Amino acid sequence: MSENTTVTSADGTTIAYTAWGDGDPIIIIDGATAYRATTPENAATAELLADRFRVVHYDRRGRGESGDTAPYAVEREFEDLAAIIAEVTARRPVTVFGWSSGALLALNAAQAGVPIARLALFEPPVIADGSRPPLPADYVAQLDTAVADGRPGDAVALFMTEAAGMPGEMVDGMRGTDFWPSLEAIAPTIAYDGRQVGDTMSGQPLRADLWDRVDMPVLVMHGTGTWPHLSAGAQAVAEHLPTATLRPVPGENHSTTADVLAPALRGFIEEN
């Protein structure tokens, strides 16, 4: 059984979430453009873990059923996560799992002091070498301009080509599809992820002080069939964090399945 409810963040924003099970908490953070209605794999993972854990999956601000309050700052999402932790953990140690840029949000929140006992990350989108071109230096500014000018589709296309690395002609072909309007609807939040990414996709080595206060156990995962720059990025993050373990897992194209992810998370928690 699952329950849908909300929590109020520090700035008054309503954050919607679904919870399964009862036990030690696991909180799932989506990456760019994703939210509960678009990621059934998270619900499937939660159902496999609900016998032992209380699994929470929430809509990040500005997406799905969660609200939003201007102006945005990365700290507001730390507060969102902290509010959920305060609501659901019952003083039990919490594990936070982040997909893609949600993994960087999780790391940034831990660096900022949000009370997290364990971090599990799937393919944080780090470019710390020459394995692919870096993000443009004005990437976030371009996103903000496109949204401010009433061109949300251009913001989505910019994310898909520059951040996700999709060919431009493929993105052009997606503009007329049924799901494109739903992407345009959350276009303003793509810049939120860009701000969470910061300089981690610059093509330069990760700064020594970037996550120097992250001292909890960290599991860094990547798919065995993923793009080379994503496996390289996962390795860079794992090497950067003294408490991290790198684990290749079955899965391709920046994703994995519930029957792979659930036991990986269960084993990580039981070992730590």
Side-chain angles (χ1 to χ4, degrees):
M1 293 290 293
S2 63
E3 57 183 278
N4 297 308
T5 187
T6 63
V7 67
T8 302
S9 193
D11 70 344
T13 301
T14 298
I15 303 298
Y17 68 88
T18 304
W20 295 258
D22 187 26
D24 291 343
I26 301 172
I27 298 175
I28 299 173
I29 305 179
D30 282 315
T33 76
Y35 51 99
R36 288 178 300 165
T38 66
T39 52
E41 62 271 23
N42 288 325
T45 299
E47 289 167 359
L48 293 175
L49 293 168
D51 63 313
R52 161 77 170 76
F53 303 98
R54 183 161 180 78
V55 186
V56 174
H57 179 211
Y58 70 99
D59 288 340
R60 288 174 56 184
R61 60 173 52 212
R63 303 182 197 167
E65 296 180 338
S66 286
D68 203 359
T69 304
Y72 178 82
V74 293
E75 291 80 7
R76 301 295 81 77
E77 293 207 76
F78 306 162
E79 293 164 357
D80 299 345
L81 179 58
I84 292 172
I85 289 173
E87 181 80 7
V88 306
T89 58
R91 298 183 180 178
R92 291 174 169 175
V94 62
T95 301
V96 173
F97 168 67
W99 291 101
S100 190
S101 53
L104 299 180
L105 166 55
L107 282 165
N108 295 340
Q111 174 75 2
V114 175
I116 299 169
R118 306 174 198 86
L119 281 174
L121 317 172
F122 195 87
E123 296 194 359
V126 166
I127 306 171
D129 57 19
S131 56
R132 58 146 277 182
L135 278 182
D138 63 344
Y139 170 71
V140 170
Q142 288 187 57
L143 291 171
D144 287 340
T145 298
V147 170
D149 289 349
R151 298 182 287 109
D154 289 348
V156 174
L158 179 67
F159 161 73
M160 288 184 168
T161 54
E162 297 292 347
M166 295 176 62
E169 58 272 18
M170 181 181 294
V171 176
D172 291 342
M174 295 168 63
R175 284 183 180 260
T177 60
D178 291 341
F179 64 83
W180 190 261
S182 66
L183 291 173
E184 290 191 345
I186 52 83
T189 72
I190 297 173
Y192 299 175
D193 287 85
R195 288 176 167 85
Q196 293 291 347
V197 165
D199 62 2
T200 64
M201 295 183 71
S202 66
Q204 300 299 313
L206 296 171
R207 288 182 285 109
D209 63 346
L210 183 60
W211 299 308
D212 60 354
R213 292 192 292 275
V214 175
D215 58 1
M216 67 288 294
V218 181
L219 176 65
V220 185
M221 295 174 279
H222 70 84
T224 56
T226 196
W227 293 292
H229 73 271
L230 289 173
S231 57
Q235 183 173 348
V237 171
E239 291 176 350
H240 186 73
L241 299 170
T243 58
T245 300
L246 181 67
R247 181 173 300 171
V249 296
E252 297 183 359
N253 296 334
H254 208 32
S255 65
T256 189
T257 57
D259 60 347
V260 172
L261 179 59
L265 292 176
R266 187 186 298 269
F268 170 59
I269 295 169
E270 290 175 349
E271 292 167 5
N272 295 277

